[in-house]
Amino acid sequence: MALVFGVEKKTVPTYMKYVMGGTSGMLATCIVQPLDLLKTRMQISGTLGTREYKSSYEVLSKIFKNEGMLSLYNGLSAGLVKQATYSTARMGVFQMELDWYRKNYESDPSLVAAMTMGIVAGAFGAFFGNPAEVALVRMMADNRLMPEDRRNYKNVGDAFARIVKDEGVLALWRGCLPTVGRAMVVNMIQLSSYSMIKNQFREFLNEGVPLHLSAATISSLLTSLASMPLDMAKTRIQQMRVIDGKPEYSGTIDVLKKVLKNEGAFAMWKGFTPYLIRMGPHTVFSFVFLEQMNKAYTKHVLEDSASDSTTS
C-alpha cells in the first residue's frame, strides 16, 4: 500500500496523500471489522482458564446467540481511530522517506530500500496507533467477560479517558513493543512480497482488481504466518488485567512461553483464519478506495481527466 501511495508526487499534494491513506484504511475497516473481532476473540480464548472456542464458526455462532449481530462491530470507533492514526502516520513517514530517497539518489528505491523504509514507516505508524489498538482490543473482548468484570467503554473517547484515569497515560501504550514488532514484520513482508507477486502475475492478468486480489491474497498468507504469534502476544498484553498490582504478563516473551506451556504451539496461530481473511480484503479494499480517491482528486480538483494513476 505504501508503495502505491507514494507515486503521485507531481500531482497530488503530500498532505492529501496522508488524508487519502488514512481514509482508505478507515473505509476498509468498516467492511472487515467483524473478521477482526473474530480474530481477537480467538486469540484471547483460554485466558479465562478454559478453552472457550474451538473454531471461528463457534465464535460467530456464540456471538449471534448471546450478543446479537450488531456486536460484530463492537470497537468500530476504536478501529476507525486506529486507521486514522496508524495508516496516516505510516503513509506519511513512508512518503517522507520516499521523497528523501528520490532527492538524494535521483531514482525510485530498490526493493531492499523499499523494504527498509516500510519497516521504519510501520514502526512509526504502530507507535502512534497503539492507543487506539489498546481500546479496540478491549472493546472487542468486553462482551465475553462476566458482567461485573466488563469495562463497558461507551466509545473510543471514553476508553481513552478511563484508561488514563484508572491506569495512567502509559497504559495507552501497553503492548507497544509487540505492536511495533508486528508492524515491522508485516510491512517488511507485505510490501516486498506484494510488489514481487504483482509483477509476476502481470504476465497472466491485466491491471485491475483481479490482479490486486490475487497478489494480496498470497502476500497476506505469507504475512499472516510470520506475524500471527506477535499479533497474538500483542492482543493478550493489551487486554490483560493487573491483579493485586501484578500484571498477567511481563512482556512478549512471557506471553509466548506461557502459551506454549499451557496451550500448545498451535495456539500461537489462534484466529488465523479470520486474521488471514481480514488481511487480504483489507489490503485490497484499501487499495481500491485509495485508487478511486486519487483518480477523483486528479479529475475534479486538479482538472486533469487524462491522468492515470500508477499502481505499482
Side-chain angles (χ1 to χ4, degrees), residues 3 6-9 17 95 97-109:
L3 290 174
V7 297
E8 296 290 335
K9 62 178 181 179
K17 295 178 183 179
Q95 181 63 48
E97 295 172 320
L98 187 62
D99 291 343
W100 176 88
Y101 190 97
R102 286 173 170 167
K103 179 180 179 180
N104 287 273
Y105 294 95
E106 298 182 353
S107 66
D108 289 329

Side-chain angles (χ1 to χ4, degrees), residues 8 12 294-305 307:
E8 296 290 335
V12 180
N294 250 321
K295 289 182 179 180
Y297 189 92
T298 301
K299 180 178 180 180
H300 298 292
V301 179
L302 301 178
E303 298 182 348
D304 182 8
S305 59
S307 179

Side-chain angles (χ1 to χ4, degrees), residues 3-7 102 108 194-195 198-199 202 207 212 287 291 309-312:
L3 290 174
V4 175
F5 200 70
V7 297
R102 286 173 170 167
D108 289 329
Y194 182 79
S195 178
K198 186 178 173 184
N199 288 335
R202 278 201 177 100
E207 189 69 40
H212 308 152
F287 177 86
E291 193 74 13
S309 57
T310 305
T311 57
S312 61

Side-chain angles (χ1 to χ4, degrees), residues 4-61:
V4 175
F5 200 70
V7 297
E8 296 290 335
K9 62 178 181 179
K10 294 182 179 179
T11 53
V12 180
T14 299
Y15 77 91
M16 278 305 302
K17 295 178 183 179
Y18 302 163
V19 172
M20 289 189 288
T23 302
S24 65
M26 293 171 72
L27 292 173
T29 293
C30 290
I31 299 174
V32 304
Q33 177 71 11
L35 295 171
D36 202 18
L37 184 138
L38 294 182
K39 180 265 298 182
T40 299
R41 292 287 182 92
M42 285 291 292
Q43 287 180 332
I44 58 180
S45 175
T47 59
L48 296 178
T50 58
R51 185 179 181 183
E52 299 167 77
Y53 312 111
K54 296 179 180 179
S55 65
S56 300
Y57 175 78
E58 186 177 358
V59 179
L60 189 62
S61 62

Side-chain angles (χ1 to χ4, degrees), residues 29-244:
T29 293
C30 290
I31 299 174
V32 304
Q33 177 71 11
L35 295 171
D36 202 18
L37 184 138
L38 294 182
K39 180 265 298 182
T40 299
R41 292 287 182 92
M42 285 291 292
Q43 287 180 332
I44 58 180
S45 175
T47 59
L48 296 178
T50 58
R51 185 179 181 183
E52 299 167 77
Y53 312 111
K54 296 179 180 179
S55 65
S56 300
Y57 175 78
E58 186 177 358
V59 179
L60 189 62
S61 62
K62 285 186 176 180
I63 289 175
F64 280 152
K65 180 180 179 180
N66 301 324
E67 305 171 37
M69 186 173 67
L70 290 180
S71 64
L72 288 172
Y73 282 88
N74 283 348
L76 178 60
S77 62
L80 295 176
V81 173
K82 174 190 171 183
Q83 290 299 320
T85 52
Y86 168 71
S87 291
T88 302
R90 181 181 68 154
M91 300 287 190
V93 170
F94 187 84
Q95 181 63 48
M96 292 169 58
E97 295 172 320
L98 187 62
D99 291 343
W100 176 88
Y101 190 97
R102 286 173 170 167
K103 179 180 179 180
N104 287 273
Y105 294 95
E106 298 182 353
S107 66
D108 289 329
S110 64
L111 179 60
V112 173
M115 289 172 62
T116 304
M117 290 190 292
I119 290 172
V120 175
F124 273 94
F127 178 81
F128 286 107
N130 201 81
E133 180 82 15
V134 172
L136 174 63
V137 169
R138 292 186 177 190
M139 292 172 74
M140 291 193 297
D142 214 31
N143 282 349
R144 64 186 277 275
L145 302 174
M146 297 296 293
E148 62 271 17
D149 294 327
R150 294 175 185 173
R151 295 180 172 96
N152 294 317
Y153 297 140
K154 297 177 182 178
N155 50 53
V156 66
D158 180 51
F160 287 161
R162 288 175 55 187
I163 290 172
V164 171
K165 179 181 178 181
D166 299 338
E167 305 171 51
V169 175
L170 292 181
L172 291 173
W173 277 269
R174 179 174 289 171
C176 187
L177 287 179
T179 300
V180 170
R182 172 193 172 276
M184 292 170 69
V185 171
V186 166
N187 281 270
M188 178 184 67
I189 298 176
Q190 190 177 63
L191 289 176
S192 58
S193 64
Y194 182 79
S195 178
M196 292 174 63
I197 295 168
K198 186 178 173 184
N199 288 335
Q200 292 294 322
F201 279 21
R202 278 201 177 100
E203 298 181 10
F204 311 101
L205 296 171
N206 294 325
E207 189 69 40
V209 173
L211 173 62
H212 308 152
L213 177 61
S214 300
T217 299
I218 298 176
S219 175
S220 298
L221 175 60
L222 298 174
T223 306
S224 297
L225 286 169
S227 65
M228 192 72 185
L230 289 173
D231 189 78
M232 182 273 301
K234 167 196 70 69
T235 299
R236 294 206 175 186
I237 290 173
Q238 289 174 333
Q239 67 87 40
M240 72 178 177
R241 289 185 174 274
V242 178
I243 303 174
D244 297 328

